[in-house]
Amino acid sequence: MERHMHRSLVIGLLASVFALTANADAASPAEEPAAEGRAPLSYPRTRTAEVAEQQFGVAVADPYRWLENDVRSDAEVKGWVEAQNAVTDRFLATLPGRAALERRITEFYDYERFGAPVKKGGRYFYAHNSGLQNQSVLFVRESLGGEGRVLIDANTWSADGATALADWTPSEDGRYLVYSIQDGGSDWRTVKVLDVATGEDTGDEVKWVKFSGMEWAKDGSGFFYTRFPEPQAGQEFQSTNLNARIYFHKLGTPQTADRLVYATPDKPSYGHYASVSDDGRWLVVTTAEGTDDRYEVHAIDLRDPGAEPKALVTGLENNWSFIGNEGARFFFITNKDAPKLKIVAMDVGRPGNPVTPVVAESEATLDGASIVGRRLIASYLADAKSQVSVHDLQGRKLSSVDLPGIGTAGGFRGDMGDAETFFSFSSFNRPTTIYRYDVRSGEVSEWAVPKVAFNPDDYAVEQVFYASKDGTRVPMFIVRKKGTSGPAPTLLYAYGGFNVSLTPSFSPTRLAWLEQGGVFALANLRGGGEYGKAWHDAGRLAQKQNVFDDFIAAGEYLKANGIASPKGLAIQGGSNGGLLVGAVVNQRPDLFDAANAAVGVMDMLRFDRFTAGRYWVDDYGYPDREADFRTLLAYSPYHNIKPGVAYPPMLVTTADTDDRVVPGHSFKYIAALQAADPNGQPHLIRIETRAGHGSGKPTDKIIEEASDVLAFFARFTGLQLP
């Protein structure tokens, strides 16, 4: 399913004004009360420095700025990380039931999993995990029902399982496979090519690739990709990503011979994504400057070696996500005059590239579309739940795809001439199942069904709607084991940003929480994409406080309606959701009983100075513009921590190789929190090694971290573990 082009820059992005002054070293001994039954806890000493900057008449202190330095090259930061991890590890080891919880999560993870197949040249390529493999293995079949053959097993690449197979794309004839390698969780990729018949690498290698697709020329002669200039030594994980360029790599040649295809040297902040049209004639270049779905589109005629890019859409004003083409008729998803999106066709063979409607905007939000077997398959979100409809190329609705229930569908990849496609379906209580869809008959059949060590029917999923502070109606999913009655320890999760929609999905770790009688809630806050552009706009820039209000209202609803225990509400969020957790803990420390801010953006005044942070100004604003600065300063987690406030127990999680949201955000935040509340509840940081923002993390690290977080939540919400 073709989705919004720039989402790879968004997923997992992302901080109070803190009243600490930049004075002498601050020792932060933290004594936990003996009445709580906990051993005394002393935080490592964190040095402060007299760092303050005048911004628009405001003196902004930043005493922990030195913690922004890279742990790989700064001995002091490395020592601080080791000292913090030692304190955290000792504390986590004392949590009741933690070992039993890890065993149970491991059991839930130990089931066979498949990815949706991709068909090329009569071959079927798909990912498979036998259960507890750290990395899924890429297989190929010569026919749909044939025996699978291992193509790539990333589990053999490193002893710690932290080197992962990232993206992969077979050539049109299925002869070659281009794939990328991710090491230690970094966003950087090394790209190689495999001969599918022999299973051997061809020797082709491309480096310094990031935020890129890999698009084959239809004749299999090579592939298009996006890369950045090689960073300076020592700055690989922190320097800002600028000057993205599209290249073509011809098989059998060195990277130094790669041909530059598209670049905008006069606009270094522009990012570019390449797609090859269905007929192979056109290279479609989609350009964005930030994370918003606001694109320019150019087409390059691949039949003419000297062809100049032809401008199809200019101005960076609307979403124009390329779906595919039928000759000169290019299909796009757009939000131009359609806040919940629609499908249009552009005739690139006529002057002015006239646009005509194909599938009109509907009440549900269009989430993606693809062309398979001369059919448009459109995926919608109706109150954050998947619906799928099938249309002819003129836009007439032919049918709907029957889905198994309330959940999330994805996939539907294929070509104009294919008679079949595959899709995945999952929900909170149902692991991912892969289905085959016959494009002509509309028949849906099971292709890979997981066998799990629990009964999905033991768990109930419901959706409620609650009122936010300003009266806005916000949806929330609530999941619990059937028979769970009365208030119970509850885990509330949300994101609220970057037009990202949270939909039902299966998690073995959350299942372990539910099995013990806990409740899981997922709130669909403003700032996401669940209800289209207006919903996104209502939760970003000057409206960002709406996101925090929505989350606080969700917590109040859960307690007021007897779902969460009076002292049993834990909250969790990652990336932009980590920012969310930090902000609401500052604003309502009395409401939440435990919190986990994962890989969060915590310093809202400096986020744009590292790696991909510059893209996020679309949602957050520009720290160097006064109006945006004052908005950011009002909620920045790092800057709004206040001494003397009783903050709830907090476990911050991050990783040393996170080059999406650099770990300095979390380092500075926890140092400030420990200093402001040294004798209060535990405020700890868990720093993973050889891991990044989340993608590529090996299964054993996922299980270990989840066990720590859930045991921490259980300890402070009253959930009884074995």
Side-chain angles (χ1 to χ4, degrees):
M1 179 69 69
E2 194 68 40
R3 298 178 63 87
H4 308 311
M5 289 295 183
H6 230 48
R7 197 58 54 220
S8 62
L9 295 175
V10 177
I11 300 295
L13 293 171
L14 319 149
S16 62
V17 179
F18 93 147
L20 295 176
T21 56
N23 47 17
D25 282 2
S28 304
E31 297 290 332
E32 292 196 83
E36 293 289 327
R38 292 175 293 217
L41 179 65
S42 293
Y43 301 127
R45 180 182 297 271
T46 302
R47 175 175 66 84
T48 61
E50 293 186 7
V51 177
E53 294 178 349
Q54 288 286 332
Q55 296 178 252
F56 304 106
V58 178
V60 180
D62 191 2
Y64 302 110
R65 185 172 294 181
W66 64 274
L67 285 171
E68 293 177 352
N69 294 342
D70 195 326
V71 66
R72 280 161 290 270
S73 57
D74 189 305
E76 186 179 14
V77 175
K78 180 181 179 183
W80 182 89
V81 166
E82 292 172 347
Q84 289 284 349
N85 269 342
V87 171
T88 300
D89 290 346
R90 283 196 298 269
F91 182 87
L92 295 175
T94 69
L95 294 175
R98 191 243 173 254
L101 183 65
E102 182 173 7
R103 286 194 296 271
R104 192 59 176 142
I105 292 175
T106 301
E107 291 170 357
F108 282 140
Y109 253 102
D110 194 8
Y111 70 96
E112 189 177 27
R113 301 185 289 281
F114 289 82
V118 174
K119 182 182 179 182
K120 289 292 181 182
R123 288 173 163 150
Y124 295 81
F125 301 81
Y126 61 95
H128 172 269
N129 194 306
S130 62
L132 294 177
Q133 290 174 293
N134 276 327
Q135 303 292 340
S136 293
V137 178
L138 183 64
F139 280 76
V140 64
R141 293 181 183 180
E142 299 299 327
S143 62
L144 183 61
E147 188 73 20
R149 171 169 60 91
V150 174
L151 268 186
I152 299 176
D153 184 358
N155 295 288
T156 65
W157 289 350
S158 64
D160 63 358
T163 305
L165 171 64
D167 302 310
W168 50 269
T169 306
S171 60
E172 194 67 20
D173 59 4
R175 180 181 176 186
Y176 296 108
L177 181 109
V178 59
Y179 67 96
S180 62
I181 301 169
Q182 177 186 28
D183 186 58
S186 170
D187 279 336
W188 290 114
R189 305 287 191 265
T190 298
V191 177
K192 296 188 176 184
V193 178
L194 190 78
D195 184 305
V196 174
T198 65
E200 299 293 330
D201 277 344
T202 62
D204 295 87
E205 183 175 273
V206 171
K207 293 186 175 182
W208 303 114
V209 175
K210 182 185 281 194
F211 308 139
S212 173
M214 298 175 293
E215 286 281 306
W216 283 98
K218 293 296 181 180
D219 62 3
S221 60
F223 58 90
F224 299 89
Y225 67 94
T226 304
R227 61 158 294 185
F228 292 90
E230 181 177 351
Q232 294 181 358
Q235 292 296 311
E236 296 89 345
F237 302 102
Q238 291 194 315
S239 61
T240 305
N241 303 138
L242 295 167
N243 292 301
R245 298 167 182 169
I246 295 175
Y247 288 87
F248 178 74
H249 176 79
K250 184 178 180 180
L251 292 188
T253 64
Q255 183 174 2
T256 53
D258 288 358
R259 174 169 55 89
L260 178 63
V261 176
Y262 192 84
T264 51
D266 57 327
K267 296 175 180 177
S269 62
Y270 279 16
H272 310 294
Y273 184 95
S275 300
V276 175
S277 65
D278 291 338
D279 58 8
R281 175 178 174 179
W282 301 95
L283 184 73
V284 180
V285 177
T286 303
T287 297
E289 188 170 20
T291 52
D292 266 7
D293 294 323
R294 295 184 295 111
Y295 305 142
E296 291 188 343
V297 184
H298 291 78
I300 301 173
D301 190 342
L302 296 177
R303 298 185 310 180
D304 179 1
E308 292 293 321
K310 176 181 180 179
L312 303 183
V313 179
T314 59
L316 293 176
E317 294 177 356
N318 294 103
N319 183 350
W320 291 90
S321 293
F322 179 64
I323 301 171
N325 77 307
E326 181 188 36
R329 198 166 175 241
F330 282 29
F331 294 87
F332 292 91
I333 292 174
T334 185
N335 60 4
K336 181 175 173 57
D337 303 320
K340 292 190 176 181
L341 298 100
K342 62 185 177 182
I343 298 175
V344 299
M346 177 186 295
D347 191 339
V348 302
R350 294 175 58 191
N353 308 314
V355 174
T356 56
V358 178
V359 179
E361 181 183 20
S362 74
E363 284 299 312
T365 302
L366 182 61
D367 191 46
S370 57
I371 299 177
V372 184
R374 301 190 61 78
R375 296 288 186 265
L376 272 168
I377 303 178
S379 178
Y380 291 87
L381 290 180
D383 291 329
K385 306 178 292 291
S386 286
Q387 296 177 347
V388 181
S389 61
V390 182
H391 307 253
D392 65 20
L393 295 184
Q394 304 309 311
R396 290 184 292 269
K397 184 176 179 179
L398 303 176
S399 63
S400 296
V401 178
D402 291 331
L403 300 179
I406 294 174
T408 303
F412 297 103
R413 294 178 61 179
D415 296 326
M416 186 71 78
D418 286 344
E420 62 183 351
T421 185
F422 299 85
F423 69 93
S424 61
F425 181 85
S426 65
S427 191
F428 296 110
N429 59 343
R430 295 190 180 276
T432 298
T433 298
I434 307 300
Y435 295 87
R436 178 183 179 272
Y437 177 72
D438 188 300
V439 176
R440 293 185 174 86
S441 70
E443 180 184 356
V444 174
S445 56
E446 294 176 342
W447 186 76
V449 182
K451 297 178 181 178
V452 292
F454 73 98
N455 182 1
D457 294 330
D458 288 344
Y459 298 87
V461 179
E462 63 176 316
Q463 188 177 40
V464 300
F465 294 83
Y466 65 90
S468 188
K469 182 179 180 179
D470 63 358
T472 297
R473 189 169 178 259
V474 181
M476 177 165 57
F477 292 102
I478 298 175
V479 190
R480 48 191 153 186
K481 192 173 184 179
K482 292 177 181 176
T484 299
S485 60
T490 298
L491 168 54
L492 171 62
Y493 186 91
Y495 187 80
F498 294 93
N499 203 31
V500 172
S501 302
L502 294 189
T503 58
S505 63
F506 180 72
S507 165
T509 60
R510 292 171 184 160
L511 188 66
W513 176 267
L514 297 170
E515 185 184 52
Q516 299 307 315
V519 177
F520 175 72
L522 185 148
N524 298 106
L525 315 180
R526 281 175 284 185
E530 290 87 349
Y531 294 103
K533 187 177 186 300
W535 194 253
H536 176 212
D537 287 346
R540 67 188 184 113
L541 301 173
Q543 306 301 316
K544 188 67 174 177
Q545 183 60 41
N546 287 335
V547 181
F548 311 136
D549 291 342
D550 290 356
F551 196 64
I552 289 168
E556 291 174 333
Y557 176 93
L558 292 168
K559 286 193 171 182
N561 287 273
I563 298 167
S565 306
K567 294 293 183 182
L569 179 59
I571 57 173
Q572 184 180 41
S575 199
N576 175 73
L579 155 64
L580 168 69
V581 169
V584 299
V585 163
N586 286 339
Q587 294 180 17
R588 284 296 305 276
D590 60 308
L591 179 61
F592 307 111
D593 303 297
N596 167 224
V599 293
V601 183
M602 309 308 250
D603 183 344
M604 299 309 298
L605 303 184
R606 289 175 61 79
F607 70 85
D608 59 337
R609 305 189 184 200
F610 302 96
T611 60
R614 66 174 186 80
Y615 292 105
W616 312 335
V617 295
D618 281 347
D619 246 53
Y620 296 151
Y622 293 82
D624 61 354
R625 298 178 183 177
E626 183 172 1
D628 290 345
F629 163 79
R630 296 191 183 281
T631 297
L632 293 164
L633 188 60
Y635 69 78
S636 176
Y638 174 52
H639 297 96
N640 284 287
I641 296 169
K642 296 177 174 61
V645 175
Y647 294 103
M650 170 71 80
L651 180 60
V652 173
T653 50
T654 187
D656 62 357
T657 316
D658 189 347
D659 52 359
R660 183 83 57 87
V661 179
V662 293
H665 280 281
S666 295
F667 294 174
K668 291 165 58 173
Y669 169 79
I670 201 65
L673 189 59
Q674 290 174 352
D677 190 19
N679 300 307
Q681 297 283 5
H683 302 131
L684 304 169
I685 185 166
R686 184 188 189 280
I687 306 156
E688 188 66 81
T689 58
R690 276 187 50 74
H693 201 62
S695 66
K697 182 178 288 188
T699 300
D700 57 6
K701 287 182 183 288
I702 294 173
I703 293 172
E704 289 170 5
E705 180 176 324
S707 301
D708 287 340
V709 172
L710 292 186
F712 185 85
F713 283 165
R715 169 65 185 80
F716 295 106
T717 62
L719 184 72
Q720 297 299 309
L721 299 178

